[in-house]
Amino acid sequence: MATMGAVSSDTTVVELELSAHKAKDFKINDIITVEEGKSEKERVDEGAAEPTTTRWELWAWYAYYFGNNSAGTLSYAPLIFQSLLNQAGRNGYNLAQDCSVDAEAPCVVKFGVKNVNIDTVVLICNGLVFAFQGVILITFGSMGDYGKWKKWILICSTLVCWAMQLSFLGLKDPSQYQAAIGIYVVSSLSYNICQAFWTPSFPMLARNTPEALESKKAFLSGEMTEDEFEKTQMLQRNRLSNIAFGCMSLGYTFTLLIALGAAYGLHANDSSVGNLKAAVVIVGVATGVWILCGTPWFFLEKPRAAPLPPGETYFSVGAKAYFHAFKSIPKLTQTWLYLLGYFLISDGYATTNQIYGICQNGIVSYSTTTSTELYIVQGLSNAGGIALFWLIQRHFKIRTKIILLWNCAFLLVIPIWGCIGIGTTKFGFHNLWEVWTFSVVDCAAVAPFYAFSATMLSDICPKGREVTFFALYALVSKSTAWIGPIISGIIIDRTGNTNKGFAFSLGLTVVGYACICFVDVKKGKEQCERYVLEDPTLVREK
């Protein structure tokens, strides 16, 4: 019998009736154990019924991500931002000259009270985004498990992101680089909040699909074994996650195909002014696609959040939920070990991507047309990689953890290759052929990372606490990802070598990979069941 806590010499046994869970538990000096007579079928059957996921609801959820495909926020917004910084920058050795005079000299701009390398400015701004997001998620994250908070926070953050992306249309001159800093920070911040409150819907949708409900019925009637039932549910979660990220990749490619036509139509290659104009128009197009495809989700999502416990307010219950989550770290060791590993590996991956993006934009000289062509190839490679990994997983019924580890192994390739470029310019993201190779091969290999990592958390996430733990997931993947960018930025600023930032991101990725290897999914599920029994902020069915 699994137990939690510590037993003292004066043992006292007190029988507790937990009618909400149709079982008897025993508390022995702060030890809570589930009675052995309670079967897996009883645990599966308990809990309040949730609305069945309809086809229209599911495709509205997919469509939101088709529109929110990151083409504007994560591709062209950084391109515009870095292009303006580069045009406004001065030669670090001679401030009377612009950065085009000496390609080997550091390019600096006025940032705060001193001149700072433009690559460092980009990384610091990204770090600020992640830090601000951490404050917002800690304040509002767990409130999303109750009432309509998740829906309204998603709607508000989406509207802010739309407004900020459309604000890029007003950027026309390098002298506006300081305004670009503010627009870039707020648009990136609101985009990340959108992700944090869109993602938690998928385990709720997955467990209420007709297929998932049919497998539950078959298991409860004895027609399906426990192992078969767990695999069916696991594959259902992976199906939704992979289709969603596949839709994102297709939406990304669709938006970029329109963007490429716009770039050539606006003669982006003729001048830096035309290049900037084309990039801001593309951000506007991307925002339009998001508005068109993302809006239906706001109206078709069915309510599945828990009711507010009696005597609580949304702010008090949110704080208590987080307090209980952090207090229960010793009782949810596998979930927290995974979040630690995911924090390290995603921080390393995010830092790697940002450094690679700086290298790519420099290699293509901030060309909007060349960048668009690269992004299109990356989008198609992402979609192909997601489809390939999902087909392999579905055919061989591979557990989520195994295929996630397989996928994460490819995350090590980019920083290793980048480190090679520290001592040579022949390799290590210094050449155009390298970014084309990356766009085809590596993008396909690492594309399913976010899909499988989200599914992995859903496997070991307490039911009814999806928004709380997915907010923590967003917190550790993005909000706390300021560590890598800022430290790498300092390394780059002091050494003048952008590639040296890859060494730090490689170390983070390796340690994170090792942590995920030690996660025990089966033990994690058992811990989550006990956590739900003990959580005082969950209203249970009576």
Side-chain angles (χ1 to χ4, degrees):
M1 180 179 292
T3 61
M4 296 178 287
V7 180
S8 61
S9 57
D10 54 337
T11 303
T12 320
V13 179
V14 180
E15 185 178 90
L16 297 175
E17 291 223 356
L18 293 176
S19 57
H21 293 269
K22 305 174 185 177
K24 289 182 180 179
D25 296 326
F26 297 92
K27 184 174 182 181
I28 308 177
N29 281 1
D30 298 326
I31 300 176
I32 295 181
T33 61
V34 179
E35 189 178 49
E36 293 293 341
K38 185 176 180 181
S39 68
E40 176 65 21
K41 289 184 179 180
E42 289 177 303
R43 288 194 287 271
V44 169
D45 192 35
E46 65 190 16
E50 296 175 329
T52 301
T53 302
T54 64
R55 185 177 296 273
W56 280 106
E57 182 186 23
L58 188 57
W59 280 101
W61 184 69
Y62 292 149
Y64 180 90
Y65 211 25
F66 182 94
N68 179 19
N69 54 57
S70 77
T73 312
L74 299 187
S75 296
Y76 288 96
L79 179 67
I80 295 167
F81 181 39
Q82 292 175 42
S83 178
L84 286 172
L85 288 176
N86 185 68
Q87 292 178 51
R90 312 306 297 173
N91 185 325
Y93 299 142
N94 184 354
L95 296 179
Q97 300 175 340
D98 61 37
C99 294
S100 63
V101 175
D102 183 0
E104 299 299 321
C107 185
V108 301
V109 293
K110 190 75 172 180
F111 186 68
V113 297
K114 65 177 183 177
N115 293 313
V116 178
N117 188 303
I118 62 171
D119 292 346
T120 302
V121 172
V122 174
L123 292 172
I124 290 175
C125 286
N126 287 327
L128 291 174
V129 169
F130 300 144
F132 289 146
Q133 184 185 337
V135 174
I136 293 173
L137 289 179
I138 287 294
T139 305
F140 297 102
S142 60
M143 293 163 58
D145 282 316
Y146 303 97
K148 296 182 179 180
W149 274 93
K150 180 176 73 68
K151 177 179 181 178
W152 284 109
I153 293 174
L154 177 62
I155 290 174
C156 291
S157 58
T158 301
L159 292 175
V160 170
C161 194
W162 289 348
M164 288 299 101
Q165 290 192 179
L166 292 174
S167 296
F168 276 102
L169 294 171
L171 299 177
K172 301 177 181 179
D173 187 83
S175 63
Q176 297 175 296
Y177 81 89
Q178 291 182 333
I181 290 175
I183 295 172
Y184 175 77
V185 168
V186 177
S187 65
S188 299
L189 174 61
S190 55
Y191 173 82
N192 290 341
I193 298 298
C194 290
Q195 295 295 97
F197 285 87
W198 171 84
T199 308
S201 296
F202 105 80
M204 305 178 196
L205 293 170
R207 67 172 173 251
N208 291 292
T209 60
E211 296 87 348
L213 295 175
E214 187 63 31
S215 68
K216 178 180 177 180
K217 181 180 178 181
F219 172 61
L220 294 174
S221 65
E223 299 173 14
M224 181 181 287
T225 66
E226 180 181 337
D227 186 61
E228 291 173 335
F229 171 71
E230 289 293 338
K231 282 189 176 181
T232 301
Q233 296 289 313
M234 178 267 296
L235 290 173
Q236 192 67 207
R237 290 190 293 271
N238 276 284
R239 182 176 73 88
L240 266 65
S241 183
N242 279 285
I243 291 176
F245 280 86
C247 286
M248 181 272 292
S249 296
L250 293 175
Y252 183 81
T253 306
F254 171 77
T255 303
L256 293 178
L257 287 171
I258 298 174
L260 186 61
Y264 280 109
L266 293 169
H267 307 289
N269 291 329
D270 291 351
S271 66
S272 59
V273 174
N275 188 66
L276 179 62
K277 182 179 180 180
V280 297
V281 168
I282 290 168
V283 172
V285 171
T287 307
V289 173
W290 186 2
I291 293 172
L292 181 65
C293 297
T295 303
W297 173 242
F298 301 148
F299 299 96
L300 294 175
E301 180 185 11
K302 294 181 179 180
R304 295 185 177 85
L308 190 66
E312 297 283 1
T313 66
Y314 285 109
F315 284 95
S316 67
V317 78
K320 288 180 180 179
Y322 269 130
F323 174 77
H324 185 70
F326 285 108
K327 180 183 176 183
S328 301
I329 289 177
K331 301 176 182 179
L332 283 175
T333 55
Q334 301 310 301
T335 303
W336 284 98
L337 177 60
Y338 174 68
L339 287 172
L340 172 62
Y342 180 72
F343 154 59
L344 293 169
I345 202 169
S346 63
D347 193 5
Y349 183 36
T351 305
T352 297
N353 277 341
Q354 289 170 32
I355 298 171
Y356 167 78
I358 291 170
C359 293
Q360 175 180 300
N361 288 334
I363 290 170
V364 304
S365 301
Y366 307 99
S367 168
T368 299
T369 53
T370 304
S371 296
T372 303
E373 291 164 354
L374 285 166
Y375 293 148
I376 289 171
V377 172
Q378 290 168 15
L380 293 172
S381 297
N382 286 342
I386 290 169
L388 178 61
F389 272 83
W390 164 238
L391 289 173
I392 292 173
Q393 183 189 29
R394 185 178 66 175
H395 180 75
F396 294 103
K397 293 182 171 54
I398 303 173
R399 297 279 184 183
T400 305
K401 178 187 172 182
I402 301 301
I403 200 160
L404 175 62
L405 288 173
W406 182 18
N407 180 238
C408 285
F410 291 103
L411 297 180
L412 302 173
V413 175
I414 311 173
I416 289 174
W417 190 261
C419 286
I420 295 174
I422 294 175
T424 178
T425 57
K426 294 182 179 179
F427 304 100
F429 299 124
H430 294 290
N431 308 287
L432 186 59
W433 67 265
E434 291 177 289
V435 297
W436 280 107
T437 303
F438 163 84
S439 298
V440 176
V441 179
D442 201 74
C443 282
V446 304
F449 169 67
Y450 287 114
F452 288 131
S453 62
T455 309
M456 176 74 174
L457 177 60
S458 72
D459 287 347
I460 50 176
C461 175
K463 184 178 179 181
R465 278 282 164 262
E466 287 86 0
V467 181
T468 297
F469 278 87
F470 272 94
L472 290 171
Y473 169 83
L475 184 70
V476 300
S477 66
K478 296 184 182 296
S479 303
T480 52
W482 55 268
I483 298 174
I486 287 181
I487 293 179
S488 297
I490 293 171
I491 293 171
I492 292 169
D493 193 51
R494 292 186 176 180
T495 63
N497 189 328
T498 301
N499 285 68
K500 287 189 176 180
F502 283 114
F504 184 74
S505 67
L506 176 61
L508 288 173
T509 307
V510 169
V511 177
Y513 186 90
C515 289
I516 295 176
C517 286
F518 288 103
V519 174
D520 186 330
V521 176
K522 183 177 180 180
K523 182 179 179 180
K525 290 180 178 180
E526 294 171 352
Q527 291 177 338
C528 287
E529 290 173 2
R530 295 188 178 92
Y531 176 89
V532 171
L533 293 177
E534 297 176 34
D535 192 339
T537 61
L538 281 175
V539 176
R540 302 181 179 88
E541 183 185 26
K542 295 183 179 181

